[in-house]
């Protein structure tokens, strides 16, 4: 990769984007899952462990107990928080790039500067192609830095404006993968985050057939989850709290109303059903529960592959010490054994296609998918606008 590094005027832009050095708030419609902003990092991070004080007393924390059932991933890791809750995986996105540009003293500043001074990009005459090249380079440069800091995989957001273009998604992923290869990040360390439209699910199927790992997001219905599992997506992400929020303010979604009539939370019910479907039918997908709002949500999801939990929940779990005999009171709610006993209807066991998926998605899934995409698109545009202001760097 040919690079000519200059010094983009970050200082002029950081004042307009500054949101305070102590925090970073994602924009509307985004997810902060595994969002990482660091100042000075000198080591890779292990999995979350108990504090030394709990180990010294012969007791474990609730965090230790729940971590034996599911991998617990911090929702947002910012500055000092990474020492308390070391991240095991990371996501690089437009939201993260905006955060880096607003806080130019982060360790990732150089990764963005190198992208903006890349000779391959600034040699492009078409302004739109040049900006797209800058964004791709910035995502990959930051993703490459993250891959050195976390033991797990790094998920890279695919341009959400391609959500309804299967071949556009595939081309974008191939472009990003080529850039990762140039900086020696192996494919097994990578995921590519794609919205769960039918076109996104089809792109996932085709990419997985090439051995490229995909991460399908914005799953708000069983039909999406089942179609994603049939496509072989490596990770399927369901937002528990967002479904609950929708149900509090809307009605008319058969899937949600069926869950409520059974006395179940609609978000938790969807995670449970999707997990059972994946395991009963032998699909390889791992399930990720996001937008977990409290400890009870987390306890209800024990056994799911990944739980993305906010820092306040993690801190509460870490502060709660359990005696050795109490740790067995935590119950695994989801397991392959319980999945084997779950009964699905014939309609739910169909081979999903575009028509059946569209027919099965209720108003909640349609609304939440559209809202999520709108937020992601707005952030992608903001990054391009920002990079357009930074360009050209001095002396270029």
């Amino acid at each position: 990769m040919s690079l000519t590094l200059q010094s983009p005027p970050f200082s002029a832009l950081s004042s307009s984007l500054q949101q305070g050095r102590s925090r970073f708030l994602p924009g509307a419609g985004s997810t902060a899952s595994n969002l990482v902003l660091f100042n000075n990092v000198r080591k890779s991070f292990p999995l979350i462990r108990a504090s030394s004080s709990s180990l010294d007393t012969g007791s474990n924390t609730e965090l230790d107990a729940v971590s034996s059932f599911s991998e617990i991933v911090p929702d947002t890791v910012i500055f000092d928080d990474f020492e308390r809750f070391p991240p095991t995986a990371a996501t690089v996105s437009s939201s993260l790039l905006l955060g880096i540009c607003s806080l130019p003293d982060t360790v990732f500043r150089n990764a963005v500067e190198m992208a903006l001074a890349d000779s391959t990009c600034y040699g492009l005459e078409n302004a739109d192609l040049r900006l797209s090249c800058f964004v791709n380079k910035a995502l990959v440069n930051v993703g490459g830095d993250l891959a050195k800091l976390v033991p797990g995989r790094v998920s890279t957001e695919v341009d959400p404006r391609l959500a309804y273009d299967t071949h556009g998604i595939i081309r974008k992923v191939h472009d990003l993968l080529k850039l990762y290869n140039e900086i020696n990040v192996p494919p097994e360390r990578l995921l590519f985050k794609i919205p769960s439209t039918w076109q996104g699910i089809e792109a996932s199927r085709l990419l997985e057939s090439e051995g490229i790992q995909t991460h399908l997001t914005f799953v708000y219905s069983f039909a999406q989850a089942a179609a994603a599992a049939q496509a072989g997506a490596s990770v399927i992400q369901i937002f528990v709290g967002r479904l609950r929020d929708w149900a509090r303010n809307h009605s008319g979604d058969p899937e949600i109303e069926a869950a409520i009539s059974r006395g179940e939370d609609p978000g938790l019910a969807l995670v449970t059903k999707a997990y059972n479907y994946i395991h009963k039918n032998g699909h390889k997908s791992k399930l990720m529960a996001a937008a977990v709002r409290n400890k009870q949500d987390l306890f209800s999801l024990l056994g799911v592959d990944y739980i993305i939990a906010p820092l306040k929940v993690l801190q509460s779990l870490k502060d709660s010490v359990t005696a050795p005999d109490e740790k067995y009171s935590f119950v695994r709610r989801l397991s392959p054994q319980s999945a084997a006993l779950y009964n699905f209807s014939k309609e739910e066991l169909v081979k999903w296609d575009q028509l059946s998926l569209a027919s099965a998605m209720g108003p909640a899934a349609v609304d939440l998918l559209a809202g999520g995409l709108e937020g992601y698109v707005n952030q992608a545009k903001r990054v391009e606008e920002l990079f357009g202001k930074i360009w050209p760097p001095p002396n270029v």
Side-chain angles (χ1 to χ4, degrees), residues 37-96:
L37 294 177
F38 299 132
N39 274 332
N40 298 302
V41 183
R42 295 183 177 86
K43 61 183 180 178
S44 296
F45 300 123
L47 293 174
I48 297 172
R49 300 298 183 200
S51 63
S52 58
S53 60
S54 69
L55 293 174
D56 294 341
T57 62
S59 301
N60 289 323
T61 66
E62 288 184 345
L63 183 55
D64 293 308
V66 299
S67 296
S68 67
F69 297 103
S70 299
E71 183 170 333
I72 310 300
V73 183
D75 193 354
T76 307
V77 183
I78 308 167
F79 302 135
D80 294 338
D81 294 327
F82 72 83
E83 295 182 351
R84 292 186 294 139
F85 304 109
T88 59
T91 294
V92 57
S93 62
S94 296
S95 178
L96 180 57

Side-chain angles (χ1 to χ4, degrees), residues 50 64 195 208 210 281 331 337 360:
D64 293 308
E208 292 282 352
E210 299 177 29
N281 293 284
V331 178
Q337 293 74 26

Side-chain angles (χ1 to χ4, degrees), residues 195-346:
S196 293
T197 59
W198 172 253
Q199 292 78 5
I201 293 169
E202 270 291 279
S204 172
R205 180 180 66 82
L206 294 169
L207 289 166
E208 292 282 352
S209 71
E210 299 177 29
I212 300 171
Q213 300 177 108
T214 59
H215 171 183
L216 285 174
T217 188
F218 297 148
V219 173
Y220 297 108
S221 66
F222 172 74
Q224 287 175 290
Q230 289 180 0
S234 294
V235 175
I236 300 170
Q237 185 171 357
I238 295 174
F239 294 89
V240 174
R242 294 186 190 179
L243 278 165
R244 181 184 304 147
D245 293 341
W246 191 94
R248 285 172 177 166
N249 299 293
H250 304 82
S251 61
D253 187 292
E255 192 170 342
I256 286 179
E257 291 182 354
I260 293 174
S261 69
R262 297 191 301 267
E264 299 176 358
D265 176 89
L268 298 176
L270 178 56
V271 172
T272 299
K273 190 172 184 178
Y275 178 93
N276 290 338
Y277 179 86
I278 290 168
H279 285 271
K280 183 164 186 173
N281 293 284
H283 296 296
K284 71 169 189 177
S285 304
K286 302 294 185 182
L287 195 60
M288 175 181 289
V292 172
R293 302 284 169 77
N294 51 59
K295 288 203 295 187
Q296 189 53 53
D297 281 351
L298 192 146
F299 294 153
S300 299
L301 294 167
L302 292 181
V304 73
D305 301 290
Y306 307 105
I307 300 176
I308 300 179
L311 296 181
K312 64 179 182 179
V313 172
L314 294 182
Q315 189 63 56
S316 177
L317 291 168
K318 190 175 182 180
D319 291 341
S320 301
V321 178
T322 60
D325 59 339
E326 291 178 343
K327 66 182 180 180
Y328 299 108
S329 63
F330 292 91
V331 178
R332 179 168 184 166
R333 304 288 182 174
L334 304 175
S335 70
Q337 293 74 26
S338 62
L341 301 175
Y342 194 93
N343 292 318
F344 291 92
S345 68
K346 291 182 179 180

Side-chain angles (χ1 to χ4, degrees), residues 359-378:
S359 300
M361 285 177 61
V366 172
D367 291 351
L368 290 168
L369 174 61
L373 282 174
E374 181 181 7
Y376 271 30
V377 168
N378 288 339

